[in-house]
Amino acid sequence: MKIGVFDSGAGGLSVVKSLLTHNLFDEIIYYGDTARVPYGPKDKNTIIRYSLEALEFFNNFDIDLLITACNTVSAYALPEMNAQSNYPILGVIESGVMALENSNLSKDDPILIMATRATINSGRYRVALEKLGYTNITSLQTGLFVPLVEEGIFSGKLLEATMEHYFSDIETPKAIILGCTHFPLIGDSLLYYFDHKPLLIHSGEAIVEYLEAYYDLEVKEKEANLKIFASDNVAGLRKIADKWL
Ligand code: DGL
């Protein structure tokens, strides 16, 4: 099986890492729209337009399944993308919610959703979690982490100051939904900030859990063949890929 993975930039590599670790596919085609990242501060119509253009890129490959490894795209563009494609396209929000549900936290445990402005404004995570009965949810727009990750900054003073800026007023959560695929790349720093207390819900691990639950996939004997493409600064993306993968 050949799978496509689409993200606004480098963040979807965190999903690729999970796909490579679990080795369920023969080939992975990654496309990061680095020319136009970040998507998170943009309007719904722009996010949909960019996502449909990315779909055109994938028409060059005969993929069986596409994962939009971008929460922002998953929050807004899936119906339009699925309407224009003859293979299934999966987002990462449903699987993230499923992963949290499977973690057996109690419904009044504090849950932090960190995501881009667009994803938070869509309310997709909050509504899904409230439907499941979770009562203690904090939603935070934490888009400043996106350019830090795109710059290859995964630890250090700048990141610490950004975490302080966003988190100084909140109680330590029991679980953090990393509602942006860029955020697993700073997962260690986040855990350090919160004294290793919260469980991190990671879109990559969550989508693998989802694929294993709903698709009939077998672990491959050979490692997947990964091809990485970007709409700009391919060298920068490959550098992050080298470090992360
Ligand atoms: N990685 C994307 C996500 O999961 C967002 C980053 C951006 O703002 O483009 O939401």
Side-chain angles (χ1 to χ4, degrees), residues 115-141:
T116 64
R117 184 198 303 163
T119 303
I120 294 295
N121 285 345
S122 77
R124 290 283 310 277
Y125 276 111
R126 177 178 278 278
V127 168
L129 293 184
E130 282 175 352
K131 261 195 196 145
L132 291 171
Y134 291 92
T135 54
N136 192 354
I137 305 167
T138 303
S139 300
L140 272 189
Q141 299 179 13

Side-chain angles (χ1 to χ4, degrees), residues 22-244:
H22 294 269
N23 209 24
L24 302 172
F25 298 94
D26 301 299
E27 199 168 343
I28 302 173
I29 310 289
Y30 184 85
Y31 176 62
D33 192 5
T34 44
R36 304 192 286 197
V37 68
Y39 281 17
K42 301 199 164 71
D43 286 344
K44 178 181 176 186
N45 287 345
T46 308
I47 295 165
I48 292 174
R49 177 161 56 86
Y50 287 179
S51 304
L52 293 177
E53 285 170 16
L55 205 51
E56 282 174 32
F57 169 83
F58 284 101
N59 287 344
N60 298 312
F61 304 90
D62 192 19
I63 58 173
D64 301 296
L65 175 68
L66 177 66
I67 293 184
T68 57
C70 177
N71 288 264
T72 308
V73 172
S74 305
Y76 289 101
L78 279 185
E80 287 78 1
M81 290 175 83
N82 269 305
Q84 295 205 9
S85 127
N86 51 12
Y87 46 79
I89 303 181
L90 296 179
V92 285
I93 292 181
E94 204 181 330
S95 49
V97 170
M98 184 186 101
L100 180 75
E101 209 187 352
N102 290 346
S103 69
N104 290 327
L105 291 180
S106 44
K107 295 284 157 92
D108 55 359
D109 280 334
I111 314 276
L112 171 64
I113 305 166
M114 301 170 47
T116 64
R117 184 198 303 163
T119 303
I120 294 295
N121 285 345
S122 77
R124 290 283 310 277
Y125 276 111
R126 177 178 278 278
V127 168
L129 293 184
E130 282 175 352
K131 261 195 196 145
L132 291 171
Y134 291 92
T135 54
N136 192 354
I137 305 167
T138 303
S139 300
L140 272 189
Q141 299 179 13
T142 57
L144 280 179
F145 291 124
V146 174
L148 291 178
V149 167
E150 289 288 322
E151 278 298 311
I153 296 172
F154 307 120
S155 59
K157 290 218 159 51
L158 205 50
L159 191 63
E160 281 161 27
T162 313
M163 290 194 288
E164 195 53 32
H165 168 73
Y166 284 130
F167 303 139
S168 58
D169 291 338
I170 63 164
E171 71 174 308
T172 299
K174 274 273 171 61
I176 303 179
I177 296 202
L178 302 173
C180 171
T181 48
H182 283 66
F183 299 166
L185 283 77
I186 53 164
D188 287 346
S189 298
L190 290 169
L191 279 177
Y192 185 77
Y193 183 91
F194 287 113
D195 286 334
H196 292 269
K197 289 191 179 132
L199 168 76
L200 298 186
I201 304 287
H202 173 317
S203 297
E205 290 304 305
I207 194 78
V208 167
E209 208 177 311
Y210 185 92
L211 288 168
E212 286 175 340
Y214 293 106
Y215 286 74
D216 192 18
L217 297 169
E218 282 169 17
V219 177
K220 304 287 176 191
E221 279 169 21
K222 266 177 62 189
E223 212 171 86
N225 178 1
L226 169 65
K227 293 198 175 93
I228 294 181
F229 299 87
S231 51
D232 198 328
N233 190 14
V234 182
L237 187 70
R238 292 229 165 97
K239 217 164 128 198
I240 297 178
D242 281 346
K243 187 171 162 64
W244 185 250

